[in-house]
């Protein structure tokens, strides 16, 4: 839902204002060098279209392709082949297994030039290729296999405590609240730092970190304490 709202807001901005958006990142950061050859190739196409800045803002710069789950699998190849045509590489953990089929259906629908943006969508997708039915099935299976494992509140009664609420508030900004057992206590700090960067990116895109409606105070110490307490291996 949040990504959909961001996309709608960006489209509206693209249609009404040809200049930079409020709180836009400096070019050196907003247009960071892509991490995959395919993404680099499509980024050049973004530079050649009036919709380039819009496409860059749909998702933050994604994970290193080499660090995707099963990076040499057909599913990982398809993720890179099709998704980076329109935005940065997504992380399979962005959605749960239950949500991925609908997300992929919606993305393929857009790749085919359909959607609720009419002529603008056709223009955006003019040079975009959609996966075949077989490829789509493989891609969905890959994303579901490595999707986010949402937390089960029944297993974590302290999710209702201030510590648990701080964790849930931070994570639910962009995706389903993950199960703390997804990572070990040693792994969580790096994950939290990466997510903090994504939240900062979204805040900048939507109006800047100083904007009251976008300001999210993250108590990282409290969040990490909750995650480590329930991490894998504990």
């Amino acid at each position: 839902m949040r990504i959909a709202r961001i996309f709608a807001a960006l489209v509206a901005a693209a249609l009404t204002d040809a200049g930079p958006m409020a709180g836009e990142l400096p070019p050196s950061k907003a247009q960071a060098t892509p991490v995959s050859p395919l993404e680099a190739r499509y980024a050049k196409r973004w530079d050649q279209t009036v919709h380039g800045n819009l496409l860059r803002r749909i998702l933050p710069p994604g994970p290193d392709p080499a660090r995707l789950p099963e990076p040499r699998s057909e599913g990982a190849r398809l993720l890179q082949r099709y998704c980076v045509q329109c935005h940065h590489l997504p992380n399979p953990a962005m959605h749960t297994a239950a949500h991925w089929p609908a997300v992929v259906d919606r993305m393929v629908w857009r790749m085919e030039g359909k959607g609720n943006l009419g002529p603008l969508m056709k223009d955006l997708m003019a040079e975009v290729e959609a996966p075949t039915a077989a490829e789509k099935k493989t891609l969905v299976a890959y994303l579901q296999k490595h999707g986010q494992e949402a937390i089960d509140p029944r297993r974590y009664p302290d999710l209702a405590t201030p510590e648990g609420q701080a964790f849930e508030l931070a994570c639910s900004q962009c995706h389903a609240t993950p199960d703390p057992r997804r990572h070990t206590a040693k792994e969580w700090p790096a994950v939290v730092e990466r997510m903090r960067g994504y939240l900062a990116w979204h805040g900048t895109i939507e109006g800047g970190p100083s904007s009251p409606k976008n300001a999210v105070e993250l108590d990282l110490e409290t969040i990490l304490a909750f995650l480590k307490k329930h991490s894998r291996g504990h």
Side-chain angles (χ1 to χ4, degrees), residues 9 19 25 38 43 59 67 70 98 116 122 132 137 144 147 151 167 171 195 207 221 226-227 234:
L25 287 171
L38 273 174
L59 289 180
R67 300 192 65 175
E70 299 182 78
N116 61 349
K122 289 186 178 181
T132 65
K137 183 177 180 180
Q144 287 188 304
I151 193 169
F167 157 63
C171 297
M195 296 303 107
E221 185 175 339
F226 180 87
L227 289 167
H234 276 64

Side-chain angles (χ1 to χ4, degrees), residues 64-207:
D64 182 339
R67 300 192 65 175
L68 285 173
E70 299 182 78
R72 297 182 181 276
S73 67
E74 181 67 1
R77 185 189 72 80
L78 293 173
L79 186 72
Q80 297 174 69
R81 166 66 185 85
Y82 290 107
C83 297
V84 300
Q85 293 180 103
C86 303
H87 50 65
H88 292 297
L89 183 67
N91 191 318
M94 279 183 63
H95 299 287
T96 64
H99 288 153
W100 268 122
V103 172
V104 173
D105 280 345
R106 187 170 67 251
M107 294 301 103
V108 171
W109 192 45
R110 289 174 175 169
M111 289 180 204
E112 295 170 344
K114 302 169 186 175
N116 61 349
L117 301 178
L120 175 57
M121 182 60 73
K122 289 186 178 181
D123 190 21
L124 282 168
M125 302 299 155
E127 300 178 25
V128 169
E129 295 181 53
T132 65
E135 288 176 326
K136 178 180 173 182
K137 183 177 180 180
T138 299
L139 179 58
V140 169
Y142 170 79
L143 292 168
Q144 287 188 304
K145 180 178 181 181
H146 301 291
Q148 185 71 265
E149 182 181 351
I151 193 169
D152 182 351
R154 295 171 298 182
R155 294 181 58 186
Y156 301 95
D158 55 343
L159 191 61
T161 65
E163 293 78 11
Q165 288 297 291
F167 157 63
E168 187 170 33
L169 171 64
C171 297
S172 64
Q173 298 294 311
C174 301
H175 54 69
T177 307
D179 190 315
R181 297 179 188 275
R182 185 178 180 91
H183 296 287
T184 65
K186 289 185 177 181
E187 292 170 343
W188 270 120
V191 174
V192 168
E193 178 58 26
R194 189 169 71 250
M195 296 303 107
R196 186 199 62 76
Y198 289 162
L199 275 175
W201 182 89
H202 279 305
T204 300
I205 292 301
E206 293 191 90

